[in-house]
C-alpha cells in the first residue's frame, strides 16, 4: 500500500485530502506543520506528500528544502497545495524540488489528475 | 413537463440538426438545459418553443437550442495516454514516412473549448526537435459557435488549467490574467478554429494525417456514427490515424477503419 503524508495547518483541508486519498487506497498520515512533517519523514519516508505553503514553525517551502537534503528525501513525490496562486510561487516551488502544484481551492478531480501526472496513480482505464 | 409530441419533435429536431440521439430517459436533461434558453429568448414554455422551431428551424433560437444540448466538457491532455502515444509512436512514424518539408495535418473534430487542440500544440512545441522544422497544421472544429469563440480566446479558469495540465506547461504556455490563464499567442497561432457540423460535408478541410474525434460519436445513433466514420476515413491519408474516445469504437460501424496497434487508435483498412 502506498503511503501519503498530508501537511497542512488546516484540519479541514487535511481531513478532505485524507478522504480523497483513502478512496484511492493510500495509507494516509497527517502533519500540521513542516517540523512535524520532517519528523514523520525521518521515521518513514512516504511515497507522496501534499504540502501547504504557509504554516507555523517550518513553512512548506522550508520543509521541502530540508526534505530534499535528507537521506532518501529525493524519493517522495511532492505536490504543493497552496493559496499562492501565482507564477512566481509556482516557479519557486518547482525549483525547490516540487513535482507538481495545486492552486487552492481544489477538488478530487484535480488531485487525482496531479497524482496521475507524478506517477502515484494509474490513469483510469480507457 | 414536456408533452409526448413536443418531446418527439425536439428529439427529431436535435437528431436532424446535430446528430444527437436523445433517449427517453433524457426528458429531464432537455428541460434543465432548455430552461435558460427559453428565459433568455422570452419564450414562455416548451410548447411555444416547439411552435417557434417548427416555424423557423434555422433561427438563432434553433442554434441556441442545439448548443444548449451539446456537452462541452473538456480538459487538457484528456486521458493522457493518446497524447503520450502520439509523441512517442505516431508522430515519429508519420514523420519518417513523409518527405522533408511536407507539413503534417491534424484535425480535432470536436474541439469544444480548445483544450484538446491546445494540448496537441503544446505537445508539439515540447517535441520540436522531433519535428525537425516541419510545419504542423492543427485544424480544430466544433458544432457550437459559442465554444469555438471561447476556444479562440484561449482563456481558462484556475480550475480548468489544473485538470490534466501538467504544471510545467502552465508556466511555459500560459499567462496569468488575474484569476484567469490565457494561452500564449504562439501556441494559439498553431491552431485554426472553425465551426463545423459533422453531419455536413467536411471534404473542404482537405486530407489529414491524424484525426482526433473523441467523445462525440457516443451521442450519435449507429447510422449517424457509421456515416461520420465513413466520411472521416475519406479525409484520412492512407497511413493516417483516427483517435476515438475511450468508450468509442469503429466495430460494426465502419468497413474502412480497423483498430491500430494502440488502444483507441484506428487506421484505414488496406
Amino acid at each position: 500500500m502506498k503511503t501519503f503524508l498530508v501537511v497542512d495547518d488546516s484540519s479541514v483541508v487535511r481531513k478532505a485530502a485524507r478522504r480523497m486519498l483513502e478512496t484511492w487506497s493510500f495509507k494516509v498520515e497527517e502533519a500540521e506543520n513542516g517540523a512535524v512533517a520532517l519528523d514523520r519523514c525521518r521515521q518513514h519516508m512516504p511515497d507522496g506528500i501534499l504540502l501547504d505553503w504557509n504554516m507555523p514553525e517550518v513553512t512548506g517551502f522550508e520543509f521541502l528544502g530540508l526534505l530534499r537534503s535528507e537521506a532518501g528525501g529525493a524519493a517522495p513525490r511532492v505536490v504543493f497545495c497552496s493559496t499562492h496562486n501565482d507564477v512566481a510561487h509556482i516557479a519557486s516551488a518547482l525549483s525547490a524540488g516540487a513535482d507538481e502544484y495545486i492552486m487552492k481551492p481544489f477538488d478530487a478531480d484535480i488531485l487525482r489528475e496531479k497524482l496521475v501526472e507524478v506517477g502515484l496513480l494509474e490513469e483510469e482505464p480507457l | 413537463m414536456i408533452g409526448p409530441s413536443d418531446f418527439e419533435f425536439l428529439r427529431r429536431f436535435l437528431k436532424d440538426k446535430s446528430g444527437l440521439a436523445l433517449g427517453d430517459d433524457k426528458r429531464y436533461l432537455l428541460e434543465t438545459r432548455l430552461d435558460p434558453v427559453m428565459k433568455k429568448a422570452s419564450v414562455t414554455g416548451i410548447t411555444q418553443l416547439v411552435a417557434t422551431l417548427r416555424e423557423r428551424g434555422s433561427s438563432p433560437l434553433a442554434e441556441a437550442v442545439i448548443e444548449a444540448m451539446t456537452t462541452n466538457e473538456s480538459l487538457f491532455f484528456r486521458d493522457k495516454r493518446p497524447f503520450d502515444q502520439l509523441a512517442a509512436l505516431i508522430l515519429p512514424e508519420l514523420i519518417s514516412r513523409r518527405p522533408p518539408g511536407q507539413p503534417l495535418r491534424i484535425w480535432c473534430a470536436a474541439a469544444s473549448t480548445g483544450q484538446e487542440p491546445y494540448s496537441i500544440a503544446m505537445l508539439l512545441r515540447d517535441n520540436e526537435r522531433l519535428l525537425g522544422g516541419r510545419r504542423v497544421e492543427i485544424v480544430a472544429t466544433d458544432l457550437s459557435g459559442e465554444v469555438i469563440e471561447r476556444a479562440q480566446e484561449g482563456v481558462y479558469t484556475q480550475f480548468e488549467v489544473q485538470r490534466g495540465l501538467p504544471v510545467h506547461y502552465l508556466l511555459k504556455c500560459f499567462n496569468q490574467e488575474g484569476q484567469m490563464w490565457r494561452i500564449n499567442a504562439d501556441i494559439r497561432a498553431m491552431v485554426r478554429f472553425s465551426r463545423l457540423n459533422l453531419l455536413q460535408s467536411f471534404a473542404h478541410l482537405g486530407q489529414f494525417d491524424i484525426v482526433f474525434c473523441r467523445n462525440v460519436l457516443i451521442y450519435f445513433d449507429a447510422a449517424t456514427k457509421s456515416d461520420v466514420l465513413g466520411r472521416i476515413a475519406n479525409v484520412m491519408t492512407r497511413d493516417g490515424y483516427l483517435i476515438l474516445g475511450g468508450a468509442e469504437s469503429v466495430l460494426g460501424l465502419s468497413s474502412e477503419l480497423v483498430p491500430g496497434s494502440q488502444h483507441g487508435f484506428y487506421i484505414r483498412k488496406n
Side-chain angles (χ1 to χ4, degrees):
Chain A
M1 186 181 261
K2 283 185 180 156
T3 54
F4 219 103
L5 179 62
V6 178
V7 191
D8 200 303
D9 58 344
S10 157
S11 61
V12 177
V13 173
R14 291 201 307 271
K15 195 173 165 191
R18 169 187 282 279
R19 219 174 21 234
M20 294 172 197
L21 290 160
E22 285 179 345
T23 311
W24 305 317
S25 302
F26 285 101
K27 183 173 182 294
V28 181
E29 286 213 55
E30 297 178 21
E32 63 272 27
N33 63 51
V36 177
L38 203 59
D39 278 346
R40 295 251 194 287
C41 289
R42 283 173 180 153
Q43 286 160 26
H44 169 78
M45 210 48 95
D47 296 295
I49 298 173
L50 191 69
L51 184 60
D52 187 20
W53 194 297
N54 292 331
M55 288 179 293
E57 293 186 50
V58 177
T59 68
F61 190 77
E62 289 161 348
F63 161 80
L64 183 57
L66 295 167
L67 171 79
R68 292 307 193 203
S69 59
E70 286 282 316
R77 313 296 282 165
V78 175
V79 179
F80 246 109
C81 184
S82 167
T83 48
H84 291 305
N85 297 345
D86 58 275
V87 170
H89 276 90
I90 298 171
S92 302
L94 295 188
S95 312
D99 298 288
E100 259 296 343
Y101 199 101
I102 291 174
M103 296 178 273
K104 284 177 181 171
F106 68 102
D107 65 5
D109 283 344
I110 289 174
L111 182 56
R112 192 176 205 297
E113 297 282 348
K114 295 291 182 186
L115 297 186
V116 170
E117 188 54 39
V118 300
L120 285 174
L121 275 181
E122 292 285 310
E123 59 185 308
E124 280 171 335
L126 291 178
Chain B
M1 197 51 194
I2 303 180
S5 66
D6 286 345
F7 181 70
E8 202 40 52
F9 172 83
L10 287 166
R11 176 147 69 175
R12 171 58 53 192
F13 173 82
L14 289 163
K15 165 83 169 54
D16 291 346
K17 299 284 184 187
S18 70
L20 180 69
L22 215 56
D24 281 331
D25 57 334
K26 294 290 191 288
R27 276 168 197 263
Y28 172 73
L29 184 75
L30 200 62
E31 285 179 43
T32 328
R33 295 228 181 143
L34 293 188
D35 197 47
V37 175
M38 291 191 291
K39 278 190 182 133
K40 201 172 166 192
S42 306
V43 172
T44 53
I46 290 281
T47 306
Q48 194 196 338
L49 176 75
V50 167
T52 313
L53 293 176
R54 278 187 202 278
E55 211 173 287
R56 281 182 302 137
S58 310
S59 59
L61 179 65
E63 286 187 13
V65 166
I66 295 163
E67 294 204 357
M69 294 308 298
T70 314
T71 301
N72 288 314
E73 195 191 304
S74 184
L75 56 153
F76 289 101
F77 294 95
R78 186 174 187 171
D79 300 329
K80 197 168 179 290
R81 199 176 296 138
F83 297 93
D84 292 343
Q85 289 169 338
L86 181 69
L89 303 165
I90 306 302
L91 283 173
E93 178 194 309
L94 288 175
I95 286 166
S96 72
R97 290 198 198 138
R98 300 285 182 274
Q102 182 179 327
L104 274 183
R105 301 195 74 232
I106 301 174
W107 176 28
C108 293
S112 187
T113 39
Q115 283 92 333
E116 184 178 80
Y118 287 140
S119 297
I120 297 169
M122 288 186 277
L123 191 77
L124 292 171
R125 183 49 55 89
D126 236 19
N127 287 275
E128 265 176 345
R129 213 178 324 156
L130 180 77
L131 297 172
R134 188 183 300 262
R135 209 158 54 84
V136 181
E137 292 173 22
I138 305 171
V139 175
T141 63
D142 199 276
L143 170 70
S144 162
E146 204 175 309
V147 300
I148 283 292
E149 268 176 41
R150 255 212 76 197
Q152 267 168 325
E153 214 182 331
V155 178
Y156 298 94
T157 63
Q158 183 174 294
F159 184 75
E160 287 170 321
V161 295
Q162 296 205 87
R163 289 189 67 198
L165 183 72
V167 73
H168 69 91
Y169 278 124
L170 183 69
L171 289 184
K172 259 196 300 194
C173 304
F174 288 80
N175 264 313
Q176 191 170 19
E177 295 181 355
Q179 293 295 306
M180 306 297 279
W181 296 81
R182 182 185 293 276
I183 195 123
N184 289 347
D186 61 327
I187 301 290
R188 199 165 60 235
M190 292 170 72
V191 185
R192 186 159 54 85
F193 289 98
S194 64
R195 193 173 177 191
L196 180 95
N197 186 339
L198 287 173
L199 297 192
Q200 289 157 10
S201 170
F202 38 74
H204 63 281
L205 296 177
Q207 292 275 297
F208 292 94
D209 301 286
I210 301 165
V211 178
F212 278 76
C213 185
R214 302 195 304 153
N215 308 304
V216 60
L217 295 181
I218 41 171
Y219 299 107
F220 296 165
D221 64 18
T224 310
K225 283 178 191 172
S226 191
D227 166 57
V228 172
L229 284 169
R231 289 183 294 116
I232 287 177
N234 289 340
V235 297
M236 286 165 63
T237 54
R238 289 263 19 127
D239 57 354
Y241 285 90
L242 165 67
I243 297 122
L244 295 180
E248 298 164 329
S249 165
V250 303
L251 228 69
L253 297 167
S254 169
S255 53
E256 296 101 334
L257 295 162
V258 290
S261 52
Q262 286 86 39
H263 182 82
F265 285 64
Y266 298 86
I267 52 175
R268 288 179 65 172
K269 200 194 265 182
N270 286 318

